[in-house]
Structures are given as structure tokens and as C-alpha cells.
């Protein structure tokens, strides 16, 4: 395994050297804008037709809408609107509530499954950008979430991805409706998720209950914390803190989780600026991974931008991550590489290289880039 780790590290270093398009350590806002537009233009030009509203595609749009907010490029907003209209401003589309499910499922019956609910984030953002505030844009989001909150169940978020997919939906809808139930249920569902996936010793999350240590271990017998999974949570917490009221009785819990996660994530960064797929065992699946790294960079930058993280402590972490993202992950044509494919864990031997890209990885990159733009004064 050590030989595999060394080989993977050497291959990464060779790719890194070959791909040096080095930006300044502290780039200007103008240069960051160039990066944002290069990446997003490439993605939209190579994916001209809107696709479905499932999680992977919807995660891209959470980055695209931030790119619009930073650049003001009307094409980015139009691209999101075309996607929303293609999907009828819905996630999963079944109307019969008696058939609504929330275990894993990719069909239209899984209306209560968070992977179908993340689309609501962008629909709500588009609603807020709409001067007319067309209620049709958020009608399905309200219908689904209010039905879900009417049930006695609290186990909707049984995997870490769900915390990014749905927590921001609830705070965004609270901001529009002032319905306190959105915050009460947010706290209730979050408490359940913490009870089954959170490691209080390490202050980070397992992907879901089946990965708890010592039931599950890495190839070297260590705790196996998935990078992208914790990226989902860290980014999701930032989004919650952006919207939850300052006087909410639940706010301190989210602040504490965010700040404690930041400490652990910081300690696990690799010298080259990235995080490996298995956070505490780099040898388990060696080499860089972009989606987790981008979500972490976004969280650190957002935390500093909004006064939750100390700049002196975390700026070096974010800077190293940004250097990796823009000199290794970013390719000359605007493509984003080293994105682990769809999955739920670090897989020994899985190839993640310069040609590995995905919609959700682009979305994560855009989130980080937009926060870097805001970070630079």
C-alpha cells in the first residue's frame, strides 16, 4: 500500500508540474473573474441542453447561481432558468403524496429524498432574483417541504450529502415565509443526522451509519472519513449560517459544528493543498481530489469572509487549496479535473486523474472561486 501511495504521489507531482498555469499566490479579483468565467463558460458550452433535477446536476447549479451573483453575466441566470423550466420547477414529480418516499431512489416517487430536493435551492434563488417574485417558482418547494414537516418522521437526513442538499432549502424558505417550523424541523433533522453519523472525537462526519468505526475501517485499520462527504456538510453549514437568523436559538449549534469541523479539516490538508479521498488515511486512496477540496476551500473562505473563522489561522489553508484548484485541477480549456466520480466512499485503486470531471465538481469549484473573489480586497 505504501508503494501505491508513493506511485500516486509521484504521478500527481508530474501532472502538477506539467500543468502549471500558476496564478499569483494572492490573485486579483480580475484574475478570479477570469477563472470563474473560463470554467463556467466551458461547462455551459459543452453542456448546452438542460438536464434533470437530480442531485449531481442540481449541485452544479448552486455554483452557477453564485457565478451569476459575482459576475452579473446574464447567460448564467438564463441557463439556470432554462433548467428550472425544463424541470417544471420541481424535483421528483409524483403528485400522489401516498407514494412519496425518502430512502434512496432516482425515480419520481422519491419526492422526500434529499437528492431530489437540492434543486429547490436554485429555484428559491431565482425566485429571489425575480422582481415580480413569481410564487410558481417556489410552489413545489413549499408543498414538498411543508408536507415533509407535517409528518412525525425525523430521519430524513440519513447520509451526509443530504445536509448540503436540504438544510439550505429550509433556511432559504424560512427567509421567505418566516415560518418557524422550517427552523424547528431543521434542528430536529440535524440532531438525528448527528446522532448517527457525527464523530464527536474527530468533529467530522462518516458518510452514513454503515461506515462507523470500528465496524468499518480503511485498509490500514483507521477511521474512514470521506472527503466529499465532509465537504457537503462543511459547505452546507456555511449556507445555513448565511440565512439562519442571528437570534435563532439554534444558531450556536451550527456555528459550533462549523468551527470545530474547520479545525479538523485544516489539520488533514496535504502539503500540496488538496485533501485525499479518505481524510485520515491518505494511503487508502492516495492523490488529489477536487470536489472535497473545493467544498472545503469554499467553507474556509466563506467562514473568513463572514467572521466565523480567523483570517490569520485559515488564510494559508485556503490559499494552498486555491493554488491546487487553479494550477492543477483547472485545465487550460476550462475543464476541472481530479473529481472523484459519483459514489459514497474512498475506493482503493479507483482512478481519479486529470480527465476525471463531473457537474457537481464544477459547481463546488465555482462556489470556492466566488468566495475567493469576495475574499480579495
Amino acid at each position: 500500500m505504501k508503494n501505491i501511495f508513493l506511485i500516486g504521489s509521484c504521478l500527481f507531482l508530474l501532472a502538477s508540474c506539467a500543468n502549471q498555469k500558476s496564478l499569483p499566490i494572492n490573485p486579483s479579483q480580475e484574475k478570479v473573474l477570469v477563472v470563474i468565467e473560463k470554467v463556467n463558460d466551458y461547462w455551459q458550452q459543452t453542456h448546452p441542453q438542460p438536464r434533470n433535477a437530480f442531485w449531481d446536476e442540481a449541485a452544479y447549479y448552486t455554483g452557477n447561481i453564485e457565478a451569476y451573483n459575482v459576475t452579473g453575466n446574464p447567460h448564467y441566470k438564463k441557463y439556470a432558468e432554462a433548467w428550472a423550466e425544463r424541470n417544471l420547477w420541481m424535483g421528483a414529480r409524483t403528485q400522489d403524496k401516498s407514494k412519496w418516499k425518502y430512502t434512496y431512489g432516482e425515480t419520481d416517487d422519491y419526492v422526500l429524498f434529499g437528492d431530489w430536493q437540492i434543486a429547490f435551492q436554485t429555484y428559491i434563488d431565482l425566485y429571489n432574483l425575480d422582481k415580480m417574485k413569481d410564487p410558481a417558482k417556489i410552489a413545489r418547494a413549499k408543498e414538498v417541504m411543508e408536507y415533509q414537516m407535517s409528518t412525525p418522521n425525523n430521519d430524513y437526513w440519513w447520509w451526509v450529502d443530504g445536509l448540503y442538499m436540504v438544510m439550505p432549502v429550509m433556511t432559504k424558505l424560512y427567509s421567505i415565509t418566516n415560518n418557524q417550523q422550517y427552523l424547528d424541523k431543521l434542528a430536529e433533522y440535524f440532531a438525528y443526522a448527528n446522532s448517527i453519523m457525527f464523530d464527536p472525537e474527530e468533529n467530522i462526519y462518516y458518510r452514513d451509519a454503515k461506515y462507523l468505526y470500528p465496524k468499518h475501517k480503511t485498509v490500514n485499520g483507521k477511521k474512514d472519513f470521506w472527503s466529499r462527504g465532509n465537504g457537503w456538510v462543511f459547505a452546507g453549514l456555511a449556507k445555513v449560517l448565511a440565512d439562519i437568523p442571528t437570534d435563532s436559538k439554534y444558531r450556536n449549534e451550527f456555528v459550533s459544528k462549523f468551527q470545530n469541523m474547520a479545525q479538523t479539516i485544516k489539520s488533514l490538508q496535504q502539503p500540496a493543498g488538496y485533501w485525499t479521498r479518505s481524510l485520515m488515511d491518505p494511503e487508502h486512496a492516495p492523490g488529489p481530489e477536487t470536489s472535497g477540496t473545493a467544498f472545503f476551500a469554499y467553507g474556509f473562505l466563506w467562514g473568513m469572509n463572514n467572521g466565523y473563522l480567523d483570517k490569520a489561522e485559515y488564510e494559508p489553508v485556503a490559499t494552498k487549496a486555491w493554488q491546487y484548484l487553479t494550477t492543477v485541477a483547472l485545465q487550460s480549456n476550462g475543464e476541472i479535473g481530479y473529481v472523484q466520480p459519483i459514489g459514497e466512499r474512498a475506493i482503493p485503486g479507483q482512478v481519479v486523474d486529470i480527465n476525471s470531471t463531473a457537474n457537481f465538481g464544477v459547481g463546488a469549484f465555482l462556489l470556492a472561486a466566488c468566495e475567493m473573489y469576495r475574499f480579495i480586497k
Side-chain angles (χ1 to χ4, degrees):
M1 182 55 64
K2 289 183 178 179
N3 288 336
I4 293 174
F5 176 69
L6 289 172
I7 291 170
S9 298
C10 290
L11 289 173
F12 165 69
L13 288 172
L14 287 171
S16 175
C17 291
N19 191 43
Q20 284 298 318
K21 308 174 288 295
S22 185
L23 293 172
I25 293 296
N26 294 304
S28 66
Q29 285 189 322
E30 290 75 14
K31 287 185 179 293
V32 177
L33 281 177
V34 169
V35 168
I36 292 170
E37 293 187 328
K38 182 177 188 176
V39 170
N40 211 25
D41 289 351
Y42 175 82
W43 184 263
Q44 294 187 7
Q45 289 164 9
T46 55
H47 298 81
Q49 298 302 318
R51 298 176 61 222
N52 66 23
F54 203 45
W55 74 269
D56 57 320
E57 193 72 3
Y60 160 75
Y61 282 92
T62 64
N64 173 66
I65 206 72
E66 281 302 299
Y68 170 74
N69 289 335
V70 165
T71 67
N73 188 328
H75 296 293
Y76 300 165
K77 183 169 177 278
K78 290 177 182 177
Y79 190 79
E81 288 171 337
W83 171 72
E85 290 165 2
R86 186 266 189 197
N87 289 290
L88 307 178
W89 302 88
M90 301 171 76
R93 300 186 189 182
T94 297
Q95 297 289 356
D96 184 351
K97 292 181 175 64
S98 68
K99 296 180 179 179
W100 287 6
K101 306 171 188 175
Y102 63 95
T103 54
Y104 182 89
E106 300 184 16
T107 63
D108 277 327
D109 289 344
Y110 289 86
V111 176
L112 304 179
F113 179 39
D115 280 7
W116 280 113
Q117 295 173 345
I118 178 178
F120 298 154
Q121 289 189 42
T122 298
Y123 302 164
I124 296 165
D125 290 341
L126 289 169
Y127 167 86
N128 285 327
L129 289 169
D130 179 8
K131 292 181 180 179
M132 302 300 293
K133 296 292 187 290
D134 181 359
K137 294 181 177 180
I138 59 170
R140 179 65 168 186
K142 290 175 63 179
E143 177 192 22
V144 169
M145 301 314 299
E146 289 175 9
Y147 173 83
Q148 180 170 306
M149 294 189 302
S150 76
T151 72
N153 304 334
N154 67 359
D155 57 345
Y156 289 102
W157 302 339
W158 48 267
W159 79 121
V160 286
D161 313 37
L163 299 182
Y164 181 85
M165 310 305 173
V166 196
M167 289 200 302
V169 172
M170 301 188 80
T171 50
K172 286 174 183 289
L173 285 174
Y174 171 80
S175 295
I176 293 171
T177 65
N178 290 314
N179 180 352
Q180 179 61 31
Q181 190 179 31
Y182 280 108
L183 299 186
D184 293 339
K185 288 295 184 178
L186 166 69
E188 184 181 337
Y189 300 162
F190 187 53
Y192 173 79
N194 286 320
S195 75
I196 63 167
M197 297 182 288
F198 182 68
D199 186 317
E201 180 181 356
E202 309 296 351
N203 282 310
I204 51 178
Y205 288 76
Y206 296 100
R207 191 271 179 180
D208 59 55
K210 67 178 176 287
Y211 290 100
L212 293 177
Y213 181 89
K215 180 172 65 175
H216 171 84
K217 302 176 183 178
T218 69
V219 292
N220 295 307
K222 299 179 181 180
K223 293 180 178 180
D224 192 10
F225 295 104
W226 183 39
S227 178
R228 183 161 69 236
N230 278 280
W232 289 126
V233 182
F234 196 47
L237 289 170
K239 284 175 166 282
V240 166
L241 291 173
D243 288 324
I244 196 168
T246 56
D247 60 352
S248 172
K249 62 184 177 180
Y250 304 121
R251 186 178 184 85
N252 287 343
E253 170 68 10
F254 291 100
V255 172
S256 175
K257 283 289 189 294
F258 181 73
Q259 292 177 334
N260 289 335
M261 282 192 77
Q263 282 287 325
T264 298
I265 295 165
K266 171 193 167 190
S267 72
L268 300 172
Q269 186 179 33
Q270 299 301 303
Y274 62 84
W275 283 263
T276 51
R277 284 163 278 168
S278 182
L279 290 174
M280 288 189 167
D281 189 357
E283 294 182 10
H284 179 81
E289 200 286 306
T290 295
S291 61
T293 297
F295 279 129
F296 293 151
Y298 164 70
F300 286 123
L301 289 162
W302 185 93
M304 290 187 288
N305 285 340
N306 291 276
Y308 292 95
L309 299 179
D310 179 67
K311 183 176 178 180
E313 181 176 0
Y314 289 101
E315 183 174 9
V317 181
T319 297
K320 287 198 297 183
W322 179 249
Q323 284 296 105
Y324 160 75
L325 289 170
T326 54
T327 66
V328 178
L330 174 61
Q331 307 308 305
S332 59
N333 61 357
E335 189 172 46
I336 301 300
Y338 296 97
V339 179
Q340 184 189 3
I342 290 174
E344 62 176 46
R345 62 188 176 93
I347 303 172
Q350 182 182 41
V351 174
V352 177
D353 60 19
I354 197 170
N355 298 310
S356 304
T357 193
N359 41 13
F360 55 86
V362 175
F365 184 99
L366 290 171
L367 288 174
C370 291
E371 283 306 311
M372 177 56 83
Y373 174 87
R374 296 180 177 114
F375 183 73
I376 298 167
K377 305 303 180 186

